[in-house]
Amino acid sequence: QVQLAESGGGLVQAGGSLRLSCAASGRTISNYVMAWFRQAPGKEREFVVGISWNGGSTYYADSVLGRFAISRDNARNALYLQMNSLKPEDTAVYYCAADAFSIRGVIRTSPQVYNYWGQGTQVTVSS
């Protein structure tokens, strides 16, 4: 099994930036598709961005395209999310997730297919 732990959340003003980290332990994540999800109060868990095994492919939700950037460092067994130009609507708990069974490394957007999850880190963007 793999354990995931997010960090880096906090309170920022609109227009500001945050960098989230996800540290994996127990197993390497080098052969997993990785993704960030978020969940706001009263909302469904929402796909934010995913990244392929070696970082060669990414897929962003329209709501964050051009503002967020995902990256991974397999040697460090870590995943990152750089968030720029933050908006109040970005306020949510952000989760790191791993998909161990993606066929051909396809980035999937449904939270139901992700096998491992972190505990989440709160991001709050004030207006």
Side-chain angles (χ1 to χ4, degrees):
Q1 62 182 1
V2 62
Q3 293 81 45
L4 304 174
E6 304 93 336
S7 62
L11 173 65
V12 297
Q13 294 181 336
S17 298
L18 280 175
R19 184 175 176 84
L20 306 184
S21 297
C22 173
S25 60
R27 294 176 181 172
T28 179
I29 60 170
S30 62
N31 58 347
Y32 295 166
V33 169
M34 301 295 295
W36 290 94
F37 290 80
R38 66 187 183 186
Q39 189 165 21
K43 301 288 185 67
E44 297 290 318
R45 190 162 296 190
E46 173 190 23
F47 175 84
V48 178
V49 59
I51 189 166
S52 60
W53 300 318
N54 62 2
S57 297
T58 58
Y59 180 73
Y60 291 84
D62 289 343
S63 59
V64 305
L65 186 64
R67 299 188 298 119
F68 291 10
I70 191 172
S71 61
R72 67 190 299 164
D73 188 335
N74 289 337
R76 294 185 174 91
N77 223 26
L79 181 75
Y80 306 97
L81 182 65
Q82 179 66 46
M83 304 185 294
N84 300 321
S85 301
L86 283 162
K87 304 174 180 179
E89 50 263 46
D90 295 319
T91 295
V93 176
Y94 282 71
Y95 297 91
C96 172
D99 179 359
F101 300 103
S102 175
I103 299 173
R104 296 183 297 278
V106 171
I107 298 167
R108 300 189 283 182
T109 62
S110 172
Q112 300 299 317
V113 307
Y114 284 77
N115 313 106
Y116 305 104
W117 295 85
Q119 81 290 343
T121 186
Q122 177 71 48
V123 172
T124 303
V125 184
S126 62
S127 60

